[in-house]
Amino acid sequence: MNFALTLPVEHGLVVATVLFLIGFTGVLVRRNVMFVLMSLEIMMNACGLAFVIAGAKWGQPDGQIMFMLILALAAAEVAVALGIVLQLSRRFDTLDVDAASELND
């Protein structure tokens, strides 16, 4: 017996859209750098989910390849963001995004 679970494409894309909107709202509303970075990660994962769903719909591995590229981009983002967070924390004793404008001085 085959008990494979099939998910309609529309349902998967709705989930990806909701995740993306949650992340986008977090980027716009939050002022803490850590919350903004987590929101960006949610947005990237939503895009990756949309790629995987579209690839599964057409039976192509392209969506999974794009998801691997998104994961690599997320790892690079975390590495750069950690340096920015450490600089904000050391120089200004805060993780407020507005303090980042003073880093270029």
Side-chain angles (χ1 to χ4, degrees):
M1 296 178 87
N2 187 1
F3 292 109
L5 179 66
T6 58
L7 178 70
V9 176
E10 295 82 15
H11 293 229
L13 291 178
V14 166
V15 170
T17 303
V18 168
L19 282 174
F20 189 86
L21 291 176
I22 289 171
F24 187 69
T25 304
V27 168
L28 292 179
V29 172
R30 294 294 186 158
R31 304 306 307 163
N32 190 328
V33 175
M34 295 302 292
F35 283 108
V36 170
L37 293 173
M38 286 190 305
S39 298
L40 286 173
E41 291 289 330
I42 290 172
M43 290 170 66
M44 284 195 288
N45 283 327
C47 293
L49 178 63
F51 276 121
V52 169
I53 289 170
K57 166 72 175 164
W58 292 304
Q60 299 292 323
D62 298 345
Q64 294 169 356
I65 292 169
M66 287 301 295
F67 187 71
M68 285 189 261
L69 290 173
I70 289 172
L71 287 178
L73 177 69
E77 177 216 352
V78 167
V80 171
L82 181 60
I84 293 171
V85 166
L86 287 174
Q87 287 296 323
L88 279 174
S89 177
R90 285 184 184 166
R91 288 189 184 186
F92 304 111
D93 292 327
T94 184
L95 292 179
D96 190 21
V97 174
D98 295 329
S101 65
E102 298 178 21
L103 280 178
N104 61 2
D105 295 336

